[in-house]
Amino acid sequence: MVSVSDVRRWRPPTLDGVFQALGSRRDTLVGFDDELHATKSPAGWTGSAAEAATKHHGELTERMRRLVAGISAVRRATGEAADAVKAVQRALGDAEHLAGRYGFSIADDGKIVDTAQSRPTDEPRIRERAAMQVELADRVEQVLRRANDIDADLAAVLERAALDRVDDGCGTSLTDASLAGQATGGLSTIGPPQGGSPADNSGWWSSLSDTERAALLKDHPDWIGNLDGLPAVVRDQANRAQIPGERARLLAEAAKLEPLVDSLTKRLGASTSEIGELSIARQLAGPAAELAIIKAKLASLDAIDQTLARGDRQLLVLDTSGQRAKAAIAAGNVDTAEHVTVFTPGFGTTVQGDMRSYDDHMNKLREEAQRASEQNGKPTSVAAVTWIGYEAPQASEILEINRSVIGEGAAREGAEKLTRFLNGVDASRPTDPHLTAIGHSYGSLTTGIALQKNTGVDDAVFFGSPGLGTSRLEDLKVPAGHSWVVEARQDPVADFAAFGTDPDRIRGINRLSAHDLTLPDGRQLSHSSGHGSVEPKIGYLAPGSTSQYNMSLVAAGLHHLTREDKSLGQFDFRQSRGRGSY
């Protein structure tokens, strides 16, 4: 088995030198093709001597062909190994650099050693270091996984060549033999780790050469698009490439079902018997429901295309499995933004019905965050992700225990995916951004459950929240003082306290205002009212609202500029009197 110390000792320049030398030898041998052909027995020469000469020439030609084929195979394998080793050493170097920043080192046997002279005492930093130790172990695991694959592949080619088992093809020239040997000398590219963590995925991707990455994007975009831990630009490219194929597949499925649904619908309309109607209706129910699901997914692809057409967007999730399509679209560049905000919407949300509107509002929140930063002398970059990466409960599912809005099933399932997505943002970058998680309504429950695990989230905002899945702020693995709640007046859902204590009444949480506000520069901000998030003027995310302004400040890390409010109190539908000009 290859060790970290082995990887450190590998010398790609030596492999490059072998590659060049083998190329020169191959070219020299192939250059003898004409001479070899010219030494065939002259036409008309017969007899035992002629037969012996012909046999000897054939054996020589075959030896030459197999020699050229073996050299060509080894040359290709050596060249690809050189590139692959450079990528593996680069990935190890990145991991070592990351380890050094957090007070760790990577031993020759791959173990992560704590070398910090002083260790943090505050809980967030302790958690951060512990999470980084696990991440480093995952990264090293993938470096060694790839290194062992390279070593095994190269050894296999060398062994075949040494045993003269490289196929020289069925051609007649040395050039043909060279091409045949070269075709068998390629190294394999291992796929992503099965069930790997975002750090595993990031480590795997980092260990691949540029050539291997390009080939995977071309041949296996389905491996890459939803892989948390990979760069956003890569996921975007892979997911966009899959849209035409997904659309064609769904259209083909619809084309198969439509004749059956049309036929049964006509029979149902023509039936004169109650028993017959019932029988046909039962036959129709399944195909009709399946066709409706397919059409909704096609509509989701349309919504995704229309959102991406706005420009400056990244498609980070594309998943048409299950009952409803899932997607996540970022406004801005998640790979380079100093601040990244991830918004999770709630009850009733669908990609086809809500992606365009939510993306528009999150982009405006992003612009507000950047504008506020510039006005305060701290120009910055912000990316805002609309994450519909789970199947939010629908009104039609109210009686389904595991999917209903009155239960936590859908939220817990979604939280697993959201946790990985949030961790993937950090794992995909050399430096972590300021990461903010925002959740509305049932999406705030999903977010709250996700944040009870380590996610690297620096700030969390919950608005219109029926509960966070806990009554204790300490259960959220968010730095102290960085959890925020927004409650508009006349929002009954925000007072349900259906999933733990009403967030507005949790001890230690910061309460952001959603009331009328006059800024120091004279700008007038409007209040929010009711439970909606994107309703014009009164929605929580409405441009020009105090609620949106406050959330944009949190997203930009401008906490000192936020305007807070007193608790409205449970079932309090009057406008509260908080601080500031309301």
Side-chain angles (χ1 to χ4, degrees), residues 4 6 25 96 164 185-186 188 272 287 294 303-304 333 404 423 438 475 494 534:
V4 168
D6 292 328
R25 297 292 178 86
E96 289 177 319
D164 197 23
S188 65
T272 58
I294 292 171
I304 290 169
N333 191 334
S404 174
N423 277 321
I438 298 179
D475 291 338
V534 295

PDB file of all heavy atoms in Angstrom, residues 4 6 25 96 164 185-186 188 272 287 294 303-304 333 404 423 438 475 494 534:
ATOM      1  N   VAL A   4       1.760   8.105   2.741  1.00  0.00           N
ATOM      2  CA  VAL A   4       2.006   9.528   2.528  1.00  0.00           C
ATOM      3  C   VAL A   4       3.482   9.773   2.259  1.00  0.00           C
ATOM      4  O   VAL A   4       3.850  10.596   1.402  1.00  0.00           O
ATOM      5  CB  VAL A   4       1.523  10.344   3.744  1.00  0.00           C
ATOM      6  CG1 VAL A   4       2.035  11.783   3.675  1.00  0.00           C
ATOM      7  CG2 VAL A   4      -0.002  10.344   3.822  1.00  0.00           C
ATOM      8  N   ASP A   6       5.515   7.813   0.780  1.00  0.00           N
ATOM      9  CA  ASP A   6       5.775   7.412  -0.607  1.00  0.00           C
ATOM     10  C   ASP A   6       5.380   8.534  -1.566  1.00  0.00           C
ATOM     11  O   ASP A   6       6.126   8.854  -2.509  1.00  0.00           O
ATOM     12  CB  ASP A   6       4.992   6.148  -0.955  1.00  0.00           C
ATOM     13  CG  ASP A   6       5.488   4.914  -0.218  1.00  0.00           C
ATOM     14  OD1 ASP A   6       6.698   4.841   0.050  1.00  0.00           O
ATOM     15  OD2 ASP A   6       4.652   4.046   0.092  1.00  0.00           O
ATOM     16  N   ARG A  25      12.653   6.452 -28.313  1.00  0.00           N
ATOM     17  CA  ARG A  25      12.897   5.063 -28.707  1.00  0.00           C
ATOM     18  C   ARG A  25      11.794   4.553 -29.633  1.00  0.00           C
ATOM     19  O   ARG A  25      12.052   3.854 -30.618  1.00  0.00           O
ATOM     20  CB  ARG A  25      12.968   4.173 -27.462  1.00  0.00           C
ATOM     21  CG  ARG A  25      14.106   4.503 -26.531  1.00  0.00           C
ATOM     22  CD  ARG A  25      15.467   4.186 -27.131  1.00  0.00           C
ATOM     23  NE  ARG A  25      16.551   4.543 -26.250  1.00  0.00           N
ATOM     24  CZ  ARG A  25      17.042   3.770 -25.282  1.00  0.00           C
ATOM     25  NH1 ARG A  25      16.491   2.589 -25.076  1.00  0.00           N
ATOM     26  NH2 ARG A  25      18.035   4.175 -24.539  1.00  0.00           N
ATOM     27  N   GLU A  96      -1.787  19.794   3.488  1.00  0.00           N
ATOM     28  CA  GLU A  96      -0.753  20.171   4.453  1.00  0.00           C
ATOM     29  C   GLU A  96      -0.830  21.657   4.788  1.00  0.00           C
ATOM     30  O   GLU A  96      -0.642  22.056   5.948  1.00  0.00           O
ATOM     31  CB  GLU A  96       0.617  19.813   3.894  1.00  0.00           C
ATOM     32  CG  GLU A  96       0.876  18.309   3.857  1.00  0.00           C
ATOM     33  CD  GLU A  96       2.210  17.947   3.237  1.00  0.00           C
ATOM     34  OE1 GLU A  96       2.583  18.587   2.219  1.00  0.00           O
ATOM     35  OE2 GLU A  96       2.862  17.036   3.758  1.00  0.00           O
ATOM     36  N   ASP A 164       5.555  -9.322 -22.195  1.00  0.00           N
ATOM     37  CA  ASP A 164       5.247  -9.307 -23.628  1.00  0.00           C
ATOM     38  C   ASP A 164       3.775  -9.639 -23.881  1.00  0.00           C
ATOM     39  O   ASP A 164       3.441 -10.404 -24.775  1.00  0.00           O
ATOM     40  CB  ASP A 164       6.144 -10.296 -24.375  1.00  0.00           C
ATOM     41  CG  ASP A 164       6.175 -10.029 -25.886  1.00  0.00           C
ATOM     42  OD1 ASP A 164       5.881  -8.873 -26.279  1.00  0.00           O
ATOM     43  OD2 ASP A 164       6.463 -10.960 -26.655  1.00  0.00           O
ATOM     44  N   GLY A 185      -2.465   1.492 -22.877  1.00  0.00           N
ATOM     45  CA  GLY A 185      -1.604   1.970 -21.792  1.00  0.00           C
ATOM     46  C   GLY A 185      -2.216   3.025 -20.898  1.00  0.00           C
ATOM     47  O   GLY A 185      -1.541   3.552 -20.006  1.00  0.00           O
ATOM     48  N   GLY A 186      -3.492   3.355 -21.110  1.00  0.00           N
ATOM     49  CA  GLY A 186      -4.101   4.410 -20.318  1.00  0.00           C
ATOM     50  C   GLY A 186      -4.362   4.004 -18.872  1.00  0.00           C
ATOM     51  O   GLY A 186      -4.639   2.847 -18.577  1.00  0.00           O
ATOM     52  N   SER A 188      -6.596   4.273 -15.386  1.00  0.00           N
ATOM     53  CA  SER A 188      -8.005   4.473 -15.061  1.00  0.00           C
ATOM     54  C   SER A 188      -8.174   5.740 -14.217  1.00  0.00           C
ATOM     55  O   SER A 188      -7.211   6.239 -13.630  1.00  0.00           O
ATOM     56  CB  SER A 188      -8.549   3.275 -14.286  1.00  0.00           C
ATOM     57  OG  SER A 188      -7.911   3.176 -13.022  1.00  0.00           O
ATOM     58  N   THR A 272     -71.245   4.795 -19.239  1.00  0.00           N
ATOM     59  CA  THR A 272     -72.632   5.036 -18.778  1.00  0.00           C
ATOM     60  C   THR A 272     -72.947   4.224 -17.533  1.00  0.00           C
ATOM     61  O   THR A 272     -74.064   4.272 -17.031  1.00  0.00           O
ATOM     62  CB  THR A 272     -73.623   4.642 -19.895  1.00  0.00           C
ATOM     63  OG1 THR A 272     -73.428   3.270 -20.250  1.00  0.00           O
ATOM     64  CG2 THR A 272     -73.413   5.518 -21.123  1.00  0.00           C
ATOM     65  N   PRO A 287     -51.552   6.180 -13.747  1.00  0.00           N
ATOM     66  CA  PRO A 287     -50.891   6.832 -14.885  1.00  0.00           C
ATOM     67  C   PRO A 287     -51.079   8.348 -14.900  1.00  0.00           C
ATOM     68  O   PRO A 287     -50.151   9.080 -15.261  1.00  0.00           O
ATOM     69  CB  PRO A 287     -51.561   6.186 -16.100  1.00  0.00           C
ATOM     70  CG  PRO A 287     -52.042   4.861 -15.604  1.00  0.00           C
ATOM     71  CD  PRO A 287     -52.446   5.093 -14.188  1.00  0.00           C
ATOM     72  N   ILE A 294     -44.398  13.988 -13.928  1.00  0.00           N
ATOM     73  CA  ILE A 294     -43.436  14.214 -15.014  1.00  0.00           C
ATOM     74  C   ILE A 294     -43.575  15.629 -15.572  1.00  0.00           C
ATOM     75  O   ILE A 294     -42.576  16.329 -15.803  1.00  0.00           O
ATOM     76  CB  ILE A 294     -43.628  13.171 -16.123  1.00  0.00           C
ATOM     77  CG1 ILE A 294     -43.222  11.785 -15.611  1.00  0.00           C
ATOM     78  CG2 ILE A 294     -42.816  13.533 -17.364  1.00  0.00           C
ATOM     79  CD1 ILE A 294     -43.579  10.652 -16.558  1.00  0.00           C
ATOM     80  N   ALA A 303     -38.306  26.384 -15.341  1.00  0.00           N
ATOM     81  CA  ALA A 303     -38.038  27.421 -14.347  1.00  0.00           C
ATOM     82  C   ALA A 303     -36.545  27.571 -14.097  1.00  0.00           C
ATOM     83  O   ALA A 303     -36.031  28.691 -13.926  1.00  0.00           O
ATOM     84  CB  ALA A 303     -38.762  27.081 -13.039  1.00  0.00           C
ATOM     85  N   ILE A 304     -35.835  26.471 -14.084  1.00  0.00           N
ATOM     86  CA  ILE A 304     -34.383  26.511 -13.895  1.00  0.00           C
ATOM     87  C   ILE A 304     -33.718  27.218 -15.065  1.00  0.00           C
ATOM     88  O   ILE A 304     -32.858  28.098 -14.881  1.00  0.00           O
ATOM     89  CB  ILE A 304     -33.831  25.079 -13.729  1.00  0.00           C
ATOM     90  CG1 ILE A 304     -34.273  24.500 -12.389  1.00  0.00           C
ATOM     91  CG2 ILE A 304     -32.304  25.073 -13.843  1.00  0.00           C
ATOM     92  CD1 ILE A 304     -34.011  23.015 -12.250  1.00  0.00           C
ATOM     93  N   ASN A 333     -20.967  34.231  -7.359  1.00  0.00           N
ATOM     94  CA  ASN A 333     -19.981  33.147  -7.459  1.00  0.00           C
ATOM     95  C   ASN A 333     -19.659  32.597  -6.070  1.00  0.00           C
ATOM     96  O   ASN A 333     -18.967  33.244  -5.283  1.00  0.00           O
ATOM     97  CB  ASN A 333     -18.705  33.654  -8.133  1.00  0.00           C
ATOM     98  CG  ASN A 333     -17.755  32.524  -8.503  1.00  0.00           C
ATOM     99  OD1 ASN A 333     -17.771  31.466  -7.895  1.00  0.00           O
ATOM    100  ND2 ASN A 333     -16.929  32.756  -9.514  1.00  0.00           N
ATOM    101  N   SER A 404     -45.854  15.376   5.964  1.00  0.00           N
ATOM    102  CA  SER A 404     -46.778  16.440   6.332  1.00  0.00           C
ATOM    103  C   SER A 404     -46.068  17.620   6.989  1.00  0.00           C
ATOM    104  O   SER A 404     -45.062  17.463   7.700  1.00  0.00           O
ATOM    105  CB  SER A 404     -47.841  15.900   7.292  1.00  0.00           C
ATOM    106  OG  SER A 404     -48.664  16.943   7.761  1.00  0.00           O
ATOM    107  N   ASN A 423     -21.726  22.192   4.504  1.00  0.00           N
ATOM    108  CA  ASN A 423     -20.343  21.742   4.688  1.00  0.00           C
ATOM    109  C   ASN A 423     -19.585  21.741   3.370  1.00  0.00           C
ATOM    110  O   ASN A 423     -18.378  22.005   3.330  1.00  0.00           O
ATOM    111  CB  ASN A 423     -20.323  20.338   5.305  1.00  0.00           C
ATOM    112  CG  ASN A 423     -20.468  20.364   6.813  1.00  0.00           C
ATOM    113  OD1 ASN A 423     -19.921  21.231   7.476  1.00  0.00           O
ATOM    114  ND2 ASN A 423     -21.228  19.430   7.350  1.00  0.00           N
ATOM    115  N   ILE A 438     -30.244  30.975   6.097  1.00  0.00           N
ATOM    116  CA  ILE A 438     -31.515  31.657   6.306  1.00  0.00           C
ATOM    117  C   ILE A 438     -32.648  30.671   6.037  1.00  0.00           C
ATOM    118  O   ILE A 438     -32.622  29.961   5.028  1.00  0.00           O
ATOM    119  CB  ILE A 438     -31.655  32.883   5.368  1.00  0.00           C
ATOM    120  CG1 ILE A 438     -30.558  33.901   5.652  1.00  0.00           C
ATOM    121  CG2 ILE A 438     -33.021  33.522   5.522  1.00  0.00           C
ATOM    122  CD1 ILE A 438     -30.612  35.114   4.747  1.00  0.00           C
ATOM    123  N   ASP A 475     -28.192  24.321  21.415  1.00  0.00           N
ATOM    124  CA  ASP A 475     -28.190  23.137  20.546  1.00  0.00           C
ATOM    125  C   ASP A 475     -27.769  23.482  19.126  1.00  0.00           C
ATOM    126  O   ASP A 475     -27.374  22.593  18.361  1.00  0.00           O
ATOM    127  CB  ASP A 475     -29.583  22.498  20.529  1.00  0.00           C
ATOM    128  CG  ASP A 475     -29.935  21.854  21.860  1.00  0.00           C
ATOM    129  OD1 ASP A 475     -29.011  21.530  22.626  1.00  0.00           O
ATOM    130  OD2 ASP A 475     -31.135  21.687  22.133  1.00  0.00           O
ATOM    131  N   ALA A 494     -45.528  32.181  13.022  1.00  0.00           N
ATOM    132  CA  ALA A 494     -44.364  32.488  13.848  1.00  0.00           C
ATOM    133  C   ALA A 494     -44.648  32.318  15.330  1.00  0.00           C
ATOM    134  O   ALA A 494     -43.715  32.378  16.154  1.00  0.00           O
ATOM    135  CB  ALA A 494     -43.885  33.908  13.570  1.00  0.00           C
ATOM    136  N   VAL A 534     -42.311  36.681  -0.034  1.00  0.00           N
ATOM    137  CA  VAL A 534     -41.994  37.442  -1.236  1.00  0.00           C
ATOM    138  C   VAL A 534     -43.159  38.328  -1.698  1.00  0.00           C
ATOM    139  O   VAL A 534     -43.107  38.869  -2.796  1.00  0.00           O
ATOM    140  CB  VAL A 534     -41.575  36.497  -2.389  1.00  0.00           C
ATOM    141  CG1 VAL A 534     -40.283  35.791  -2.052  1.00  0.00           C
ATOM    142  CG2 VAL A 534     -42.668  35.478  -2.692  1.00  0.00           C
TER     143      VAL A 534
END
